[in-house]
Coordinates of all heavy atoms in Angstrom, one line a residue:
P1 N 99.4 77.1 91.5 CA 99.2 78.1 90.5 C 100.1 79.3 90.7 O 100.5 79.6 91.8 CB 97.7 78.5 90.7 CG 97.1 77.4 91.5 CD 98.2 76.8 92.3
S2 N 100.4 80.0 89.6 CA 101.1 81.2 89.7 C 100.3 82.3 90.4 O 99.1 82.1 90.5 CB 101.5 81.8 88.3 OG 102.2 80.8 87.5
H3 N 101.0 83.3 90.9 CA 100.2 84.4 91.6 C 99.3 85.0 90.6 O 99.6 85.2 89.4 CB 101.2 85.4 92.1 CG 101.9 85.0 93.3 ND1 101.3 84.6 94.5 CD2 103.3 84.7 93.5 CE1 102.3 84.2 95.4 NE2 103.4 84.3 94.8
R4 N 98.1 85.3 91.0 CA 97.1 85.9 90.1 C 97.6 87.2 89.6 O 98.2 88.0 90.3 CB 95.8 86.2 90.9 CG 94.9 85.0 91.2 CD 93.8 84.8 90.3 NE 92.9 85.9 90.2 CZ 92.0 86.2 91.1 NH1 91.9 85.5 92.2 NH2 91.2 87.2 90.9
K5 N 97.3 87.4 88.3 CA 97.7 88.7 87.6 C 96.9 89.8 88.3 O 95.7 89.7 88.6 CB 97.3 88.6 86.2 CG 97.2 90.0 85.4 CD 98.6 90.5 85.2 CE 98.4 92.0 84.6 NZ 97.7 92.0 83.3
A6 N 97.6 90.9 88.7 CA 96.9 92.0 89.3 C 95.9 92.7 88.4 O 96.3 93.1 87.3 CB 97.9 93.0 89.8
T7 N 94.7 92.7 88.8 CA 93.7 93.4 88.0 C 92.9 94.4 88.8 O 92.9 94.3 90.1 CB 92.7 92.4 87.3 OG1 92.1 91.6 88.4 CG2 93.4 91.5 86.3
R8 N 92.1 95.2 88.2 CA 91.3 96.2 89.0 C 90.1 95.4 89.5 O 89.5 94.6 88.9 CB 90.8 97.3 88.1 CG 92.0 98.2 87.6 CD 91.6 99.2 86.6 NE 92.7 100.0 86.2 CZ 93.1 101.2 86.7 NH1 92.5 101.6 87.8 NH2 94.2 101.8 86.2
Q9 N 89.7 95.7 90.8 CA 88.6 95.1 91.4 C 87.3 95.8 91.1 O 87.2 97.0 91.1 CB 88.8 95.0 92.9 CG 87.8 94.1 93.6 CD 88.3 93.8 95.0 OE1 87.8 94.4 96.0 NE2 89.1 92.8 95.2
V10 N 86.3 94.9 90.7 CA 85.0 95.4 90.3 C 83.9 94.9 91.3 O 83.9 93.7 91.6 CB 84.7 95.0 88.9 CG1 83.3 95.5 88.4 CG2 85.8 95.4 87.9
A11 N 83.1 95.8 91.8 CA 82.0 95.4 92.6 C 80.8 95.1 91.8 O 80.3 96.0 91.1 CB 81.7 96.5 93.7
I12 N 80.2 93.9 91.8 CA 79.0 93.5 91.1 C 78.0 93.2 92.1 O 78.0 92.1 92.7 CB 79.3 92.4 90.1 CG1 80.4 92.8 89.2 CG2 78.0 92.0 89.4 CD1 80.9 91.6 88.3
G13 N 77.1 94.1 92.4 CA 76.2 93.9 93.6 C 77.1 93.8 94.8 O 77.9 94.6 95.1
G14 N 76.9 92.7 95.6 CA 77.7 92.5 96.7 C 78.9 91.6 96.5 O 79.6 91.2 97.5
V15 N 79.2 91.3 95.2 CA 80.3 90.3 94.9 C 81.5 91.1 94.3 O 81.3 91.9 93.4 CB 79.8 89.3 93.9 CG1 81.0 88.4 93.5 CG2 78.7 88.5 94.5
Q16 N 82.7 90.9 94.8 CA 83.9 91.5 94.3 C 84.5 90.6 93.3 O 84.7 89.4 93.5 CB 84.9 91.8 95.5 CG 84.3 92.7 96.6 CD 84.0 94.1 96.0 OE1 84.8 94.6 95.3 NE2 82.9 94.7 96.5
V17 N 84.9 91.1 92.2 CA 85.6 90.4 91.1 C 86.9 91.1 90.8 O 86.9 92.3 90.6 CB 84.7 90.3 89.8 CG1 85.5 89.8 88.7 CG2 83.5 89.5 90.1
G18 N 88.0 90.3 90.7 CA 89.3 90.9 90.4 C 90.0 91.4 91.6 O 89.6 91.2 92.7
G19 N 91.2 91.9 91.4 CA 92.0 92.3 92.5 C 92.4 91.1 93.3 O 92.9 90.1 92.8
D20 N 92.3 91.2 94.7 CA 92.6 90.1 95.5 C 91.4 89.2 95.9 O 91.5 88.4 96.7 CB 93.3 90.6 96.8 CG 92.4 91.6 97.6 OD1 91.3 91.9 97.1 OD2 92.8 92.0 98.7
A21 N 90.3 89.5 95.2 CA 89.1 88.6 95.5 C 89.3 87.2 94.9 O 90.0 87.1 93.8 CB 87.8 89.3 94.9
P22 N 88.7 86.2 95.4 CA 88.8 84.9 94.9 C 88.1 84.8 93.5 O 87.2 85.6 93.2 CB 88.1 84.0 95.9 CG 87.2 84.9 96.6 CD 87.9 86.2 96.7
V23 N 88.5 83.8 92.7 CA 87.9 83.6 91.4 C 86.4 83.3 91.6 O 86.1 82.4 92.4 CB 88.6 82.5 90.6 CG1 87.9 82.3 89.2 CG2 90.0 82.8 90.4
V24 N 85.5 84.0 90.9 CA 84.1 83.9 91.1 C 83.4 83.0 90.1 O 83.8 83.0 88.9 CB 83.5 85.3 91.1 CG1 81.9 85.3 91.0 CG2 83.9 86.1 92.3
V25 N 82.4 82.2 90.5 CA 81.7 81.3 89.6 C 80.4 82.0 89.1 O 79.7 82.6 90.0 CB 81.3 80.0 90.3 CG1 80.3 79.2 89.5 CG2 82.5 79.2 90.6
Q26 N 80.2 82.1 87.8 CA 78.9 82.6 87.3 C 78.3 81.6 86.4 O 78.9 80.7 85.9 CB 79.1 84.0 86.7 CG 79.9 84.1 85.5 CD 79.9 85.5 84.9 OE1 78.9 85.9 84.2 NE2 80.8 86.3 85.3
S27 N 77.0 81.9 86.1 CA 76.2 81.0 85.2 C 75.2 81.8 84.4 O 75.2 83.0 84.6 CB 75.5 79.9 86.1 OG 74.6 80.6 87.0
M28 N 74.4 81.1 83.6 CA 73.4 81.9 82.8 C 72.2 81.0 82.7 O 72.3 79.8 82.5 CB 74.0 82.2 81.4 CG 73.0 83.1 80.6 SD 73.8 83.6 79.1 CE 72.4 84.7 78.4
T29 N 71.0 81.7 82.7 CA 69.8 81.0 82.6 C 69.5 80.6 81.1 O 70.1 81.3 80.2 CB 68.6 81.8 83.1 OG1 68.6 83.0 82.3 CG2 68.8 82.1 84.6

């Protein structure tokens, strides 16, 4: 894959999203 596009990192609870964090899996009830 190409290098991830640089984005601002967001803290969601204890999970980091964006920036240099890995791609995060989410779901919905």
Side-chain angles (χ1 to χ4, degrees):
S2 300
H3 289 296
R4 286 263 300 288
K5 164 75 186 295
T7 57
R8 295 175 182 269
Q9 191 164 95
V10 181
I12 304 171
V15 176
Q16 300 296 319
V17 170
D20 59 358
V23 180
V24 169
V25 172
Q26 67 175 274
S27 60
M28 186 173 184
T29 60

